[in-house]
Amino acid sequence: MCDTCGCNITEGNRHLVEEGGKHAHSEDGSVAVEVLQNLLSENDHQAAHNREHFDRHQLLAVNLMSSPGSGKTRLLETTIDRLKARYRIAVVEGDLETENDAERIREKGVEAVQITTGTACHLDAHMIHNALHRMDLDQVDILFIENVGNLVCPASFDLGQHLNITLLSVTEGDDKPSKYPVIFRAADLVLITKSDLLAVMDEFSPERAEQAVRQLAVEVPVTQTSAKSGEGFETWLDWLEEQIELQKARRSQGETRTPKLQPEGAKLHAGEG
Amino acid sequence: MHELSVCQAMLAQVEAIAKREQASRVERIVVRIGPLSGVVPELLRQAFTIARAGSVAAEAELDTELQQVRIRCRQCGAECAASSNRMICCECGDFRTQLISGDELLLASVELIRE
């Protein structure tokens, strides 16, 4: 009750007000409050809510991240062509401006919601939540989220997805994983795209690209694909279908999945907080 | 440039803490940032000078404590310092290592003034 004479300090709370304690007062009268909370906890809270929403609708949510122009939309177009007879697919498109990508997806006969972020360089969990209000998820088996083309910022924001895929096109250089480690460490699958161009891009070595991924302590599959020639597409589709089955199995156990890094990080930091 | 979004999220948390603690203003905010968090401390500090205006932390200082990248080898058990893009074991060279620290993005503490 009394902060003046200290009569409210008991054996039970003394450690809080002593130097270094949670409510320690410094000489100038300021109060230090220990927090140890993730800076993005508000986003993470919304992301968890989105994930529950996806799980309730029994769908698999997949987040695609890459540089602009590395073939995310093209990958989705071919994937839709190949899978739409067997699975109900929907897409959330993220870009700074235009409906162009959503229109490309709609031409394939699939529902697409475009998020235009204006100046924001990434999607966040709140933007996804708003987009979900514009979709009928009862009609969806796989929801692809195509993040804003950017190899930096999207890696920091959980959207509620179950899986992250990081794309690396052969025109970008095989050392990209070394230059942008955060986004490649977040991947559950690394897709080397536009592999039909390897014949003319002799400076890109898929082996060196994979080596650069391994140097980040990343064990996930690294697969080559070409949405144009169809090369490597079976491997990618097999992986995706396996993930759909794994998600169904998790749902039947009442479980879910967060992208690779978050459980590891949360567990290791729990000791501090 | 997502540092501004991160900064705004941080300030929302700080505002909530200040309200809970019935503080009139915030004097200091301490955050812990690892190189693998994807946030650049210098950019966060720059974003802070813009984002703090008009908030309870308008006159606050922002301290960014940079954390080191450290790994533990899942094969031989060694613990090593590492860098963001080279996280292989310093003892046996295996790449199957686990991150111990370096991806932090934590609001560590705030110093408040109650008047």
Side-chain angles (χ1 to χ4, degrees), chain A residues 31 33 35-36 215 219 268, chain B residues 74 87 99 105 107-108 110 112:
Chain A
V31 189
V33 180
V35 189
L36 292 175
Q215 295 267 325
E219 296 176 42
L268 288 162
Chain B
R74 297 215 312 269
M87 301 185 54
L99 191 70
L105 188 57
L107 176 58
V110 288
L112 307 162

Side-chain angles (χ1 to χ4, degrees), chain A residues 30-33 35-39 41 119 121-122 153 156 178 181 214-215 217 219 264 268-269 272, chain B residues 1-2 5 13 27 32 37 74 84-87 95-97 99 103-105 107-112:
Chain A
S30 69
V31 189
V33 180
V35 189
L36 292 175
Q37 188 177 30
N38 191 308
L39 282 188
S41 58
T119 55
C121 46
H122 58 271
C153 314
S156 296
S178 305
R214 301 294 172 231
Q215 295 267 325
E219 296 176 42
E264 184 188 338
L268 288 162
H269 297 314
E272 302 174 57
Chain B
M1 65 180 279
H2 64 301
S5 306
Q13 284 178 30
E27 205 165 55
R32 286 186 200 153
S37 69
R74 297 215 312 269
S84 299
N85 59 11
R86 193 173 164 82
M87 301 185 54
F95 76 92
R96 285 163 291 182
T97 62
L99 191 70
D103 66 345
E104 297 85 352
L105 188 57
L107 176 58
S109 66
V110 288
E111 282 180 30
L112 307 162

Side-chain angles (χ1 to χ4, degrees), chain A residues 49 79 97 225 254:
Chain A
H49 176 77
T79 303
E97 295 290 352
T225 56

